[in-house]
Amino acid sequence: MLFSELGLSAELLRATRKQGYEVATPVQQRAIPLILEGQDLLAGAQTGTGKTAGFTLPLLQRLQQSEPTNQNHRIRALILVPTRELAAQVGESVRTYGIYLPFKSSIIFGGVSINPQITQLRRGVDIVIATPGRLLDHIQRRTIRLDNVETLVLDEADRMLDMGFIHDIRRIMKVLPARRQNLLFSATFSRDIRQLANQLLDDPREIQVARRNTTAEQVSQIVHPVDKSRKRELLSYLIGDGNWRQVLVFTRTKHMANRLSQQLERDGLTAAAIHGNKSQGARTRALADFKKGKIRVLVATDIAARGLDIELLPHVVNYELPNVAEDYIHRIGRTGRAGQDGQAVSLVCVDEKKLLKGIEHLLKQDIEKIVIEGYEPDESIRPVAIKNGGNKGNNRRSSRGQHPGGRPDSRSSKRPNGRRGANARARARNGSGGTTSRSRRAA
Ligand code: AMP
């Protein structure tokens, strides 16, 4: 279905054409007419489905219809998002699609000075895109008025709940007018999301669109069993040996993301870490460099990677398995490119066997296990329980609304030998290295 068939205004159609978009994605086809009718909506859609335009376009149109000249600049639409990156991206979309409309928008998140935000708000804006923590700051300082909000969007609501934002969301709801349109977007519909939807939405319509990638078809998944102490070495080897040029690597914690990125740099690979403790500038720079190909390996925590608008990648590596099985699907949904296969590789040590079982149970399939020669796990190492650091199990968040993170399990397992070390480093530096890794199936 074309955008031109969805009842959008000439200004909005012009803006979508400017982006080169003619055909609406499934979530857009279904959400846009419902939102234009003024319905409340519960939408199951994740990053990459085109959901942002799916709510931004009709939201702008409703503002345009109800007050076309727009002289007052009162906040009439509020979009709540879990992370700064997503706030920046959604803000960009609001500007992009609203380019031929007179509305002003403002992006509000923590970790940066509050004063420019106050100045902007004082001058008057129509649309606010905000993370909950900083928005509450503004509410408490009385630097924002939300009593004219007509439309509320909760984007990536499941993430907001995972990050412990539920109380902030409830407090924000209290200062909004009771009569308003509510749109809730979430990648998954857990019990908590259903509960939030029940409290928030009025007779909602429900839509669900397929994930960008439901694992099996486009993404080949492989597990390499390996000792924890040799994961870094194996990763460098795989990148160098396969001549992978753009790799997104996931760790469970910020600490591990930092450490790994530094170690990879020492192996001769350009790498950067992206997580909640990095300044906004550093995160934006790392992402831009990764997209341009200046950085070969981007090491990210789940929360930091969520909502990043990175084109689908050929290689995603789970350096550490996530504590929560659903995050595995989010992670590997980043790989696979139009028509091409993507590869999701998981480096799994003995401590993570239980997590792997949980993931396989969720996927309803076993993932192929391949032991790389020279990196055979030492069978004598006993598993150690993994603490819930840096993932969903730990629901408290820091005052800035960032993901809590935590220290990784610092136990170092016995290192069998260092046979691959020098080779791996040399291959990583040389790019392809020319040899194919010999491997054999795990028993
Ligand atoms: P989102 O799911 O909102 O994060 O969007 C994912 C990407 O798809 C963004 O880069 C959008 O610019 C792009 N996009 C959104 N709508 C369309 C469309 N109808 N056709 C092609 N690309 C789109």
Side-chain angles (χ1 to χ4, degrees):
M1 191 185 267
L2 301 176
F3 275 116
S4 53
E5 298 172 289
L6 287 169
L8 292 169
S9 69
E11 291 81 1
L12 292 170
L13 287 177
R14 212 174 135 202
T16 54
R17 268 199 301 275
K18 191 165 185 248
Q19 292 304 302
Y21 306 153
E22 295 284 345
V23 181
T25 66
V27 68
Q28 293 163 356
Q29 288 175 29
R30 298 175 63 193
I32 291 173
L34 293 173
I35 299 173
L36 287 177
E37 280 172 23
Q39 296 279 348
D40 275 14
L41 184 68
L42 176 61
Q46 65 171 176
T47 305
T49 53
K51 66 181 167 66
T52 316
F55 62 75
T56 304
L57 289 166
L59 180 150
L60 286 165
Q61 174 139 333
R62 281 176 62 80
L63 295 187
Q64 189 185 10
Q65 278 165 344
S66 60
E67 205 173 293
T69 53
N70 183 55
Q71 278 157 353
N72 295 325
H73 295 303
R74 297 166 284 118
I75 298 168
R76 291 160 63 205
L78 173 64
I79 304 171
L80 285 180
V81 297
T83 62
R84 308 174 204 174
E85 277 82 9
L86 193 60
Q89 278 170 28
V90 172
E92 191 56 42
S93 292
V94 169
R95 277 190 202 128
T96 302
Y97 299 122
I99 183 165
Y100 302 114
L101 296 173
F103 304 116
K104 290 192 192 171
S105 57
S106 185
I107 303 169
I108 284 181
F109 52 67
V112 294
S113 163
I114 199 166
N115 294 326
Q117 296 174 355
I118 294 176
T119 310
Q120 240 185 20
L121 291 169
R122 208 178 281 141
R123 289 198 193 118
V125 295
D126 308 274
I127 304 163
V128 163
I129 303 102
T131 52
R134 178 55 69 88
L135 182 65
L136 266 182
D137 262 6
H138 280 284
I139 292 172
Q140 277 150 8
R141 290 166 184 242
R142 296 182 195 285
T143 47
I144 195 164
R145 283 191 59 177
L146 296 171
D147 47 357
N148 288 299
V149 168
E150 296 161 24
T151 306
L152 168 72
V153 182
L154 295 188
D155 192 14
E156 304 208 349
D158 48 348
R159 274 292 138 160
M160 285 201 263
L161 298 192
D162 293 344
M163 291 170 76
F165 280 135
I166 185 66
H167 302 295
D168 289 357
I169 292 173
R170 292 226 172 89
R171 285 159 74 193
I172 292 164
M173 295 307 116
K174 286 197 182 125
V175 302
L176 299 181
R179 260 180 69 94
R180 55 173 200 261
Q181 183 179 29
N182 301 291
L183 314 172
L184 191 155
F185 284 75
S186 180
T188 51
F189 285 167
S190 62
R191 215 183 52 200
D192 288 347
I193 286 290
R194 291 267 173 208
Q195 201 178 9
L196 178 66
N198 282 342
Q199 292 163 355
L200 198 74
L201 307 178
D202 179 19
D203 192 19
R205 297 298 193 80
E206 188 172 320
I207 60 176
Q208 284 239 36
V209 298
R211 292 184 184 286
R212 176 154 73 174
N213 276 333
T214 41
T215 59
E217 317 89 89
Q218 303 117 310
V219 185
S220 70
Q221 301 171 67
I222 301 172
V223 162
H224 293 312
V226 61
D227 291 339
K228 183 155 85 180
S229 63
R230 303 200 64 206
K231 281 187 178 187
R232 198 269 309 138
E233 216 182 304
L234 177 57
L235 177 62
S236 290
Y237 167 71
L238 291 171
I239 294 171
D241 192 57
N243 195 20
W244 299 351
R245 307 311 305 182
Q246 208 179 28
V247 196
L248 182 61
V249 177
F250 285 96
T251 62
R252 276 195 294 268
T253 65
K254 301 170 199 172
H255 174 73
M256 182 54 95
N258 274 340
R259 208 172 75 181
L260 179 60
S261 134
Q262 286 159 8
Q263 288 171 333
L264 291 172
E265 286 271 340
R266 281 200 289 275
D267 282 352
L269 296 163
T270 46
I274 187 162
H275 56 67
N277 281 359
K278 293 262 174 182
S279 73
Q280 189 55 32
R283 292 155 91 176
T284 312
R285 231 177 3 260
L287 184 61
D289 285 349
F290 184 61
K291 284 183 179 179
K292 275 189 276 182
K294 274 170 80 178
I295 286 176
R296 195 164 166 187
V297 191
L298 188 66
V299 188
T301 55
D302 290 281
I303 291 288
R306 177 84 174 185
L308 290 186
D309 188 13
I310 308 176
E311 290 289 309
L312 289 181
L313 297 160
H315 303 285
V316 167
V317 176
N318 296 303
Y319 189 80
E320 297 172 312
L321 289 181
N323 286 334
V324 174
E326 280 84 4
D327 279 343
Y328 177 86
I329 295 178
H330 291 309
R331 289 177 176 189
I332 73 164
R334 300 273 176 190
T335 182
R337 280 210 279 221
Q340 285 177 30
D341 280 354
Q343 201 188 30
V345 170
S346 302
L347 309 186
V348 177
C349 69
V350 65
D351 304 348
E352 297 173 301
K353 281 194 173 160
K354 257 199 188 147
L355 295 177
L356 180 60
K357 278 260 167 301
I359 289 164
E360 291 181 326
H361 182 73
L362 180 75
L363 298 175
K364 298 191 179 65
Q365 69 177 80
D366 283 348
I367 305 171
E368 188 179 11
K369 291 153 197 89
I370 295 176
V371 175
I372 302 285
E373 204 179 303
Y375 293 93
E376 295 85 353
D378 179 347
E379 307 273 319
S380 70
I381 298 174
R382 303 267 62 88
V384 169
I386 292 168
K387 288 179 212 141
N388 261 0
N391 218 317
K392 278 187 193 173
N394 184 348
N395 258 352
R396 269 158 297 141
R397 66 180 178 80
S398 71
S399 58
R400 279 211 249 135
Q402 291 156 2
H403 199 266
R407 301 192 80 76
D409 176 7
S410 59
R411 180 192 76 115
S412 70
S413 50
K414 196 178 120 203
R415 184 183 166 130
N417 57 49
R419 295 106 335 151
R420 277 281 179 191
N423 268 353
R425 276 190 285 280
R427 285 216 180 84
R429 265 192 295 273
N430 294 341
S432 127
T435 29
T436 319
S437 67
R438 276 167 298 149
S439 51
R440 63 176 165 83
R441 293 267 158 102

